[in-house]
Amino acid sequence: MSAVITAIGGFVPSSILTNKKISETVDTSEEWIIKRTGIKERRIADDDTATSDLAAAAIENLIENYNVDRGEIEALLVATATPDHILAPTASIVCEKSRLTNAFGIDMNAACSGFLYALEMGANMIESGRYKKLIIVGADKMSSIVDYEDRNTCILFGDGAGAVLLEKTESDYGLMKTILKTDGSGVSSLAVPAGGSRNPTSMQSLLHRTHYLKQDGAFVFKRAVAAMSQVSQDALTKNELEADQIDWVVPHQANLRIITAVGESLGIDFEKVKVNIDRYGNTTSATVPLCLWDFKDDFKEGQNLLITTFGAGFSWGATCLKWGVMREKKTVQKTKDSKVEEVLVAH
Ligand code: COA
């Protein structure tokens, strides 16, 4: 018995923040951002939208498109680094908004690896025989913790959410063996220093802008390439697969140069590597499920996917999965919000 993805949903806000707009507020240029990151634009949620709204919208998209019975969902795992509140759990808010009345909900924060960690937890819950149907959602409103005066970070991130339905299967399809890693020595290289119990919000934290995300970009970059390359290779070995047996790679979307370097290290053709960072930037817990959602029509029954992530913590990992049979879709599909407008985000 294993766990297989049978439905996918996604949501991105309609407002677009372009490189041009960013270059009007910090010392950078459209060309620099594209050349060094591959990002052309990112989506930004409005002030009234919290992470739970993004998550609930992605879940609604999944439920609506694949005729999922809300009452059958037994658990909701919400991967997020930007919860609505420090307390109460965002998962409780999403359960309420999505009317998942028979599900328990829990938040999981492993930053950019959060969705992969939650997927592994969910797969184990199903493989234990105790659960049959779970929803796993990765959602982040990164614009709520990004400093739009800091050119080292504000160019990178965007808002969004992606959700998958994980179900029990007796077939050969579904999640294979996963490797998850944590190295706490990396915490200071990528973190929001203030606002938690170590350094509660204060006049000082507001003054020094330490309630925003800080990172040592070059160090994180090098660690991400090395860690994702190694763990992907290890996951292939663990699942007794060769690189040429992988049909699609779905990597965390942090920087196009990281994605390219990981693909090259594995010897996998770039056409097999899924990339949407140009449109969404780094949406943290949402990058992998948003990629699955974006490219779901390319994945065919029986194909092998490799998923790999790296994020704050440091947290990283990789898994392989054999794409299964998706639930029958409704013929009329809701698409991404077509209303698109440019925004300038300022704090
Ligand atoms: N526009 C123009 N110049 C910029 C810039 C920007 N937005 N951001 C940094 N620079 C400058 C730096 O100040 C530095 O100038 P200096 O040489 O005069 O000191 C120069 O560009 C090179 O800086 P560096 O940090 O080495 O650039 P980089 O090529 O590594 O790109 C990142 C910076 C942040 C894009 C890159 O390091 C990165 O993507 N890191 C990983 C971040 C990440 O993935 N975080 C989330 C993890 S999941």
Side-chain angles (χ1 to χ4, degrees), residues 12-220:
V12 287
S14 57
S15 296
I16 291 177
L17 179 59
T18 60
N19 291 346
K20 186 166 181 292
K21 269 285 178 207
I22 290 180
S23 67
E24 287 169 13
T25 53
V26 293
D27 183 15
T28 189
S29 67
E30 287 181 80
E31 299 71 36
W32 195 96
I33 300 172
I34 292 180
K35 191 163 167 247
R36 306 305 294 167
T37 70
I39 301 168
K40 292 182 181 149
E41 57 188 41
R42 60 295 285 143
R43 299 301 181 100
I44 303 292
D46 61 30
D47 288 347
D48 295 333
T49 302
T51 294
S52 66
D53 299 306
L54 302 173
I59 292 170
E60 207 52 36
N61 180 257
L62 178 155
I63 287 176
E64 276 291 307
N65 281 338
Y66 292 89
N67 292 311
V68 176
D69 180 352
R70 294 169 204 270
E72 284 182 9
I73 306 301
E74 298 158 298
L76 172 71
L77 312 186
V78 178
T80 187
T82 51
D84 286 21
H85 311 284
I86 285 194
L87 188 161
T90 300
S92 302
I93 302 168
V94 180
C95 276
E96 177 71 8
K97 286 189 167 143
S98 301
R99 304 194 303 286
L100 302 177
T101 46
N102 293 324
F104 79 86
I106 182 170
D107 289 8
M108 291 186 164
N109 181 357
C112 297
S113 293
F115 178 81
L116 180 60
Y117 275 43
L119 197 62
E120 169 68 354
M121 302 301 142
N124 279 280
M125 287 166 69
I126 285 177
E127 283 165 22
S128 74
R130 294 187 183 198
Y131 298 88
K132 295 187 187 68
K133 287 190 183 67
L134 321 173
I135 289 181
I136 298 169
V137 60
D140 270 303
K141 185 183 179 185
M142 292 305 291
S143 61
S144 65
I145 56 166
V146 164
D147 185 349
Y148 287 92
E149 291 182 9
D150 175 11
R151 70 176 185 173
N152 290 301
T153 51
C154 74
I155 59 168
L156 296 172
F157 296 95
D159 303 336
V164 299
L165 176 67
L166 208 56
E167 290 195 70
K168 180 182 117 170
T169 179
E170 307 286 345
S171 72
D172 292 338
Y173 300 142
L175 267 106
M176 301 182 206
K177 291 174 187 147
T178 301
I179 302 176
L180 301 179
K181 297 277 197 178
T182 303
D183 175 5
S185 70
V187 167
S188 59
S189 305
L190 179 55
V192 178
S197 61
R198 170 69 57 202
N199 187 6
T201 307
S202 63
M203 289 306 286
Q204 283 302 307
S205 68
L206 294 176
L207 199 62
H208 297 296
R209 304 178 80 79
T210 47
H211 55 296
Y212 289 126
L213 181 71
K214 309 282 177 206
Q215 71 166 359
D216 177 348
F219 182 66
V220 173

